[in-house]
Amino acid sequence: MRPLLEVKNLKKHFPIKGTSLFSRNKEMVKAVDGISFSIKHGETLGLVGESGCGKSTAGRSILKLTEPTEGQLIYKGEDITTFRGERMRKLRKEMQLIFQDPYASLNPRKTIEQIITEPMKIFEIEKATRTEKLNRLLDVVGLSSYHKSRYPHEFSGGQRQRIGIARSLALNPELVICDEPVSALDVSIQAQVINLLEELQEEFKLTYLFIAHDLSVIHHISDRVAVMYLGELVEIGDAVEVYESPKHPYTQALLSAVPKANPHQEKERIILKGDLPSPANPPKGCKFHTRCPFAEAICRSEKPNMKQVSLSGQMAACHFAKEVMN
Amino acid sequence: MQNDSSLLEVRNLHTHFFTKSGVVKAVDGVDFSVKPGETLGIVGESGSGKSITALSILGLIPSPPGRIVDGEVLFKGDNLLKKSPKEMRSIRGKEIAMVFQDPMTSLNPVLTVEKQMVETILTHEKLTRKQAFARALELLDLVGIPDAKNRIHNYPHEFSGGMRQRVMIAIALSCNPSLLIADEPTTALDVTIQAQILELFKKMQKELDMAIVMITHDLGVVAEVCDRVMVMYAGKPAEYTETTKLFDNGKHPYTLGLMHSIPKITEKRQKLEAITGMPPDLRSLPIGCSFAPRCKYAMESCLESDPLLKNVADGHAVRCFLHDDAFSKEESFNETIIGSEKS
Ligand SMILES: Nc1ncnc2c1ncn2[C@@H]1O[C@H](COP(=O)(O)OP(=O)(O)OP(=O)(O)O)[C@@H](O)[C@H]1O
Ligand SMILES: Nc1ncnc2c1ncn2[C@@H]1O[C@H](COP(=O)(O)OP(=O)(O)OP(=O)(O)O)[C@@H](O)[C@H]1O
Ligand code: SF4
Ligand code: SF4
Ligand SMILES: [Mg+2]
Ligand SMILES: [Mg+2]
């Protein structure tokens, strides 16, 4: 079956402004540096990686909220890379983003009712349908109807995040890019929202690109998982497989670092040495070699390609990940 | 648990919002204390009053509509609620630093990170601009911003979510505060950087005897760094005790619900156990226990009056009728709770 979305060699580079007078040639932050993956209809692809590795930029580039520097986006078999204006606007109805920052993304001068119904108004949905949908959405995200007339500043952090989720779902999108949708929520509401996203997925056959740094949440919700490091994918595959037998040293380190909610448990962690390198000046060869416990000479000179490492299609980009032929 | 050696002591704090549609009792009777070098965790459901508690301590409640209607906030023995706005300004940032929950509204979008950091440092410390700049760079390094010497010239929107959060932390730590109030400081951070930040907190705590009030919904973070924990529900403490006691022997039904809703790395695609029902409307709380509408153990008495926070053991306070008259009945009740939770 044709995937809903195909991302091919996507890149987004930002110029670093205001650098010192001495650096003549413009340095670029290579926030996203050539990623490729596809998402099937009704599937959840989890995207994980360290802070600053390019997850949000990838999400925003796919929705073309920021113009990709390079690469191709294919949605329902159609190349949308060059879509502009009205054609892009129509597509926006089908592709929604749940923002990482619930504060900055809600208009402080609008009531909750206005915020949630606004997208429906823009797409000229009738008043009665709007009201019905509003009530349903408030209910599913755990807000009450007396909240309708209130303004964003009257809500706590977690409540604002849920308002953002309600707004994103107002237009019955097909593809929802969820950028850290639950990281600002306490565990009980986190559980409610995750259950909700899963129910909605079943009911409306939603497809999710689910961005998070919380590996337990990603594991819980994803069918497949993609691991990102410094603007590139290092591993992708079936969620159970990646978690049970991670093949890339970076994925292995990430998984070992998850804190356990238990003060007695001894933590056996693979501590990554060194800092995250700058995405403006990433290491040559394998970008992970400066922190990889298994790095050898070849890693410093040659960039490893993504290759298949299990019969079911798990892929990893490491010189020493065992290749599997199928 | 009140103590002479406390650095911060919050007594009977009540912060209400007087809105058109009624009085929102965001914080309604909170007591806790923190000693130098100690870390107190505040956990609780979204909307339970954690941030408002923190903002009350710092004198940052927007007024109107908000007002601290009762209580005392003793910092080094002085009641902060009696201080003038000017006095509070000099305490904030220097003596008490805060990492706010929303980095974007507390960072100035039109100033570069450099400008904001250097200005803050210069307001509170006697340093030259050059020294302040060096300090800012050092702090950005400590919070793990790669290539800080170039990136310091960027504006906040040019940073990722987690990078902004770390800039906030760097600013908060820049003046070596004796109390750090950190409101969800690591929500946007992945585990590796979170571990690095928590280590940095611990290190500063050792070196400066800094106390920390850590507001978080992450029980993993609580387990890792907090000495004691206050669990809040609907503006009030539901349970208040040492971290190990909370995890081994948590008693309040809400606490137990929280523990059960954590997604586990070993479990996949089962429905997560959420605490059912809605958070209460803080403008019209039920007469009895505010958790009663959602509590699996609610009894008739729970609907009639509000339980008080009572000691059930040394240094372990719970607000729940199941654990009232504690010592004698404690064991059997505990069994019922744990037993039926598991089924
Ligand atoms: N300006 C305001 N006017 C009216 N109500 C307010 C105002 N600010 C906060 N509240 C209410 O006070 C309650 C407590 O809010 P607070 O921000 O302390 O929650 P919180 O525990 O920090 O939640 P979260 O985990 O979601 O950040 C919430 O129910 C909120 O709606
Ligand atoms: N508008 C911009 N201008 C310049 N640099 C940017 C811009 N937006 C993002 N960047 C940079 O691109 C890199 C990736 O940022 P991005 O927000 O995609 O990270 P992320 O993986 O979402 O991180 P986090 O988990 O912290 O949210 C960072 O170094 C960031 O500073
Ligand atoms: S290619 Fe080399 S440096 Fe990169 S992950 Fe594999 S072993 Fe480590
Ligand atoms: S007092 Fe009653 S309703 Fe409240 S938490 Fe205890 S058992 Fe539940
Ligand atoms: Mg992000
Ligand atoms: Mg809060």
Side-chain angles (χ1 to χ4, degrees), chain B residues 60-112:
Chain B
L60 290 174
I61 294 298
S63 172
R67 191 148 52 87
I68 297 177
V69 293
D70 201 0
E72 280 180 323
V73 175
L74 302 176
F75 180 68
K76 297 185 173 169
D78 264 358
N79 188 355
L80 295 184
L81 302 183
K82 296 258 155 67
K83 300 263 182 218
S84 71
K86 188 161 166 249
E87 287 171 313
M88 278 314 287
R89 263 198 299 278
S90 72
I91 291 173
R92 272 199 305 267
K94 175 65 196 147
E95 291 267 8
I96 308 180
M98 170 125 185
V99 178
F100 292 92
Q101 194 175 4
D102 54 337
M104 232 14 206
T105 49
S106 36
L107 289 173
N108 188 332
V110 301
L111 297 180
T112 62

Side-chain angles (χ1 to χ4, degrees), chain A residues 1 17-18 37 56 72 76 107 131 151 156 196 203 229 243 248 298 304 307-308:
Chain A
M1 209 179 84
K17 278 160 271 161
F37 60 84
S56 297
Q72 222 185 357
K76 292 184 175 168
N107 185 335
T131 314
Y151 293 88
S156 73
L196 164 71
E203 193 175 339
Y229 186 77
Y243 274 71
H248 195 283
I298 184 178
K307 59 187 175 193
Q308 191 165 342

Side-chain angles (χ1 to χ4, degrees), chain B residues 300-314:
Chain B
E300 226 162 279
S301 55
C302 308
L303 304 173
E304 286 156 10
S305 60
D306 197 8
L308 297 172
L309 190 68
K310 289 206 175 150
N311 274 329
V312 295
D314 191 30

Side-chain angles (χ1 to χ4, degrees), chain A residues 124-192:
Chain A
E124 293 164 1
I125 289 163
E126 296 170 24
K127 178 115 207 281
T129 319
R130 289 205 307 257
T131 314
E132 194 189 305
K133 187 92 195 190
L134 169 70
N135 292 333
R136 167 97 208 282
L137 286 169
L138 285 174
D139 188 47
V140 287
V141 300
L143 294 167
S144 308
S145 65
Y146 65 81
H147 286 127
K148 275 189 225 170
S149 57
R150 297 219 222 153
Y151 293 88
H153 73 267
E154 297 178 50
F155 290 88
S156 73
Q159 290 166 332
R160 277 183 249 194
Q161 184 64 288
R162 282 177 279 157
I163 296 166
I165 292 175
R167 178 183 56 185
S168 314
L169 297 176
L171 292 171
N172 300 331
E174 291 212 28
L175 173 69
V176 184
I177 298 189
C178 313
D179 193 356
E180 307 273 6
V182 297
S183 61
L185 307 177
D186 62 90
V187 278
S188 68
I189 306 239
Q190 214 174 55
Q192 281 178 17

Side-chain angles (χ1 to χ4, degrees), chain A residues 151, chain B residues 18-22 283:
Chain A
Y151 293 88
Chain B
F18 298 85
T19 69
K20 267 178 265 163
S21 54
R283 294 164 314 168

Side-chain angles (χ1 to χ4, degrees), chain A residues 17 51 186 199 213 220, chain B residues 46 158 187 190 268 270-271:
Chain A
K17 278 160 271 161
S51 172
D186 62 90
E199 281 160 29
H213 61 266
H220 182 87
Chain B
S46 176
E158 296 173 324
T187 46
D190 50 274
K268 172 122 197 77
Q270 284 155 4
K271 216 166 150 76

